[in-house]
């Protein structure tokens, strides 16, 4: 059976700053999806959760990728939630809903979206990763390591199912006129891939397919709020769907790539680097509006019906990892604004520093 998985994520308001959504908006969004999507037969099943201040929705349905009604369902559900956020006086109510009206597709309206249509395997397993206080390029390194590097995924050399490698579709997110993408085939394009994925702010993995079966393994969001709004309006906290097992990495091989807690952009005011910490489902943010966090909900799906989620980072191993990554966060914060702790000038999202530098520019003089 062909099933479409649609994962859509937005910050529509949170309690006490950019911490977590309120119970009431989560209930509102959930009830909306149940009444307007599930009961009306538009979707087969759904899941709702949060990561920091972002709400993530997962829908299963048979309408294909980019379906207008499904997108509208997510938009209207977020709008209903944003209305409640306003009534509750939540911080940043409706923040990621950048347009006034729905226009056929949520791409370009603010929410992040990852979608794929799959031929459901007899035991179809996949993970939805959602990150907060970071950007889509934060997934570049974990995807590279899990799908192209036998040092992190030894299955690439052990399993005949993955022996042919994968095709990465990489998007240039600085190109605003249209989607500009390139297809790179690993292993032979490995160095080209590394050369692009080095730059998380510009080149982002949008899709990965198996070269053996041609089946899609990964769909990732590439939304840049700055490109839509023309200025900083919050970070583009990403979401992705990763199919696992057999011709794809084992769940644990995919997870192993997150054990680095690699430094990513997006910590405090979208202006600092911090380590990406794998956290349990429904974890708020804290220290220095962060650190950047990623959650993972693993599912099996049968004829579109989802199991309950398995929380992939809820395990003693990740408690230990979180301590190490907390140390990495503390270490980089100790140097405040200096050097790599803060994003380089051209990436700085907040206008304040730009104004300040303009002001001092005129006070420079050429010493004779
Ligand atoms: C992170 C984030 C925060 C804010 C910070 C200042 O997503 O949005 O780090 O940038 O709390 O927020 P404002 O400018 O709303 O006071
Ligand atoms: Mg936010
Ligand atoms: Mg967020």
């Amino acid at each position: 059976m062909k099933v479409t998985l649609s994962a859509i994520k937005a910050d529509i308001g949170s309690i006490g700053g950019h911490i977590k959504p309120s119970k009431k908006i989560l209930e509102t969004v959930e009830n909306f999806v149940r009444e307007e999507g599930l009961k009306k037969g538009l979707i087969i099943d759904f899941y709702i959760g949060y990561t920091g201040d972002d709400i993530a929705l997962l829908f299963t349905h048979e309408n294909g990728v980019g379906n207008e009604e499904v997108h509208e369902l997510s938009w209207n559900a977020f709008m209903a939630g944003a209305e409640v956020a306003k009534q509750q006086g939540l911080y940043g109510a409706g923040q990621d809903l950048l347009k006034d009206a729905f226009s056929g597709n949520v791409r370009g309206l603010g929410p992040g979206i990852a979608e794929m249509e799959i031929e459901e395997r007899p035991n179809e397993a996949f993970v939805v990763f959602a990150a907060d206080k970071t950007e889509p390029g934060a997934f570049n390194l974990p995807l590279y390591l899990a799908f192209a590097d036998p040092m992190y995924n030894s299955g690439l050399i052990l399993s005949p199912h993955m022996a042919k490698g994968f095709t990465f579709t990489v998007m240039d997110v600085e190109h605003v006129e249209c989607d500009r993408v390139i297809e790179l085939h690993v292993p032979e394009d490995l160095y080209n891939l590394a050369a692009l994925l080095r730059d998380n702010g510009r080149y982002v993995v949008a899709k990965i397919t198996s070269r053996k079966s041609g089946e899609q393994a990964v769909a990732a969001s590439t939304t840049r709020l700055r490109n839509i709004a023309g200025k900083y309006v919050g970070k583009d906290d990403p979401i992705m769907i990763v199919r696992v097992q057999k011709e794809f990495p084992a769940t644990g091989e995919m997870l192993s790539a997150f054990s680095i807690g690699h430094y990513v952009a997006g910590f405090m005011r979208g202006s600092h680097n911090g380590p990406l910490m794998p956290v349990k489902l429904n974890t708020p943010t804290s220290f220095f509006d962060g650190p950047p966090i990623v959650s993972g909900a693993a599912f099996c799906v049968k004829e579109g019906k989802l199991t309950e989620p398995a929380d992939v980072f809820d395990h003693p191993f990740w408690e230990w990892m979180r301590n190490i990554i907390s140390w990495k966060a503390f270490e980089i914060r100790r140097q405040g604004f200096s050097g790599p702790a803060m994003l380089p000038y051209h990436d700085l999202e907040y206008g304040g520093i730009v104004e300040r530098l303009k002001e001092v520019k005129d006070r420079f003089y050429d010493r004779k």
Side-chain angles (χ1 to χ4, degrees):
M1 172 180 172
K2 267 199 178 349
V3 171
T4 310
L5 308 174
S6 302
I8 310 168
K9 182 167 184 282
D11 175 353
I12 56 171
S14 43
I15 307 175
H18 296 270
I19 299 178
K20 65 177 217 177
S22 68
K23 271 194 193 138
K24 205 164 171 191
I25 52 172
L26 283 162
E27 277 164 20
T28 305
V29 174
E30 179 168 351
N31 289 339
F32 192 96
V33 171
R34 192 179 306 284
E35 293 304 316
E36 300 301 319
L38 200 65
K39 290 199 179 156
K40 294 192 174 166
L42 176 61
I43 57 172
I44 304 171
D45 209 349
F46 75 101
Y47 161 80
I48 179 169
Y50 68 89
T51 306
D53 58 12
D54 305 310
I55 297 179
L57 287 171
L58 169 68
F59 298 151
T60 61
H61 57 94
E62 290 183 279
N63 305 293
V65 167
N67 179 266
E68 182 165 344
E69 283 176 274
V70 172
H71 281 226
E72 193 169 17
L73 172 68
S74 68
W75 176 260
N76 288 341
F78 285 136
M79 285 297 250
E83 203 41 58
V84 171
K86 278 179 203 145
Q87 285 162 18
Q88 286 192 298
L90 294 193
Y91 200 72
Q95 183 184 281
D96 286 356
L97 308 176
L98 298 178
K99 305 279 164 161
D100 296 329
F102 179 74
S103 54
N105 193 304
V106 290
R107 281 195 72 195
L109 303 184
I113 177 153
E115 279 190 297
M116 60 169 124
E117 186 173 44
I118 61 170
E119 186 58 59
E120 213 183 67
R121 296 173 291 173
N123 14 51
E124 182 63 55
F126 67 94
V127 187
V128 176
F129 292 98
D132 188 33
K133 311 301 177 225
T134 186
E135 59 186 8
F139 291 144
N140 281 355
L141 183 62
L143 290 173
Y144 171 88
L145 296 176
F147 284 86
D149 185 350
M151 285 292 285
Y152 277 77
N153 177 2
S154 48
L156 294 170
I157 51 174
L158 291 173
S159 162
H161 302 295
M162 287 194 283
K164 284 198 173 149
F166 293 92
T167 297
F168 283 68
T169 303
V170 177
M171 190 179 292
D172 176 355
V173 295
E174 285 282 327
H175 192 81
V176 288
E177 294 80 23
C178 63
D179 286 354
R180 173 168 281 173
V181 294
I182 183 173
E183 258 105 49
L184 293 171
H185 312 287
V186 293
E188 58 275 29
D189 268 327
L190 193 72
Y191 292 174
N192 291 331
L193 183 66
L196 292 182
L197 298 191
R198 189 195 66 74
D199 190 348
N200 290 339
R202 170 134 195 204
Y203 299 106
V204 173
V205 178
K207 178 178 170 184
I208 301 177
T209 51
S210 157
R211 293 174 79 182
K212 180 169 186 251
S213 65
E215 278 288 304
Q216 187 168 352
V218 173
S221 66
T222 51
T223 303
R224 285 193 102 200
L225 297 173
R226 183 168 34 150
N227 290 354
I228 302 169
K231 61 175 183 353
Y232 178 84
V233 284
K235 250 327 195 197
D236 325 300
D237 305 321
I239 190 159
M240 70 170 174
I241 305 169
V242 181
R243 291 169 82 192
V244 286
Q245 307 294 144
K246 278 286 176 290
E247 76 258 51
F248 308 124
T251 315
E253 286 163 345
M254 183 65 234
L255 300 184
S256 112
F258 281 101
S259 62
I260 299 172
H262 64 303
Y263 289 110
V264 295
F267 211 170
M268 183 52 86
R269 295 180 186 271
S271 305
H272 298 80
N273 287 311
L276 185 65
M277 179 184 282
V279 293
K280 294 179 196 175
L281 296 174
N282 306 323
T283 294
T285 53
S286 179
F287 169 59
F288 204 58
D289 280 4
I293 53 176
V294 58
S295 67
F299 297 91
C300 274
V301 58
K302 190 85 186 166
E303 289 163 7
K305 285 300 257 178
L306 294 165
T307 58
E308 72 273 25
D311 188 344
V312 298
F313 296 125
D314 183 4
H315 186 274
F317 174 82
W318 295 103
E319 295 299 341
W320 180 67
M321 235 39 253
R322 284 191 271 273
N323 286 334
I324 294 173
I325 295 169
S326 293
W327 179 256
K328 288 185 69 168
F330 173 70
E331 262 306 316
I332 196 156
R333 286 311 323 131
R334 288 207 311 148
Q335 68 177 66
F337 60 78
S338 181
M342 204 182 250
L343 302 195
Y345 178 71
H346 67 273
D347 284 336
L348 274 183
E349 308 264 14
Y350 263 72
I353 196 154
V354 179
E355 292 307 311
R356 186 170 296 281
L357 292 177
K358 258 191 221 149
E359 189 193 312
V360 291
K361 190 168 157 264
D362 296 338
R363 290 168 60 187
F364 273 92
Y365 63 95
D366 298 339
R367 203 162 57 182
K368 295 276 173 335

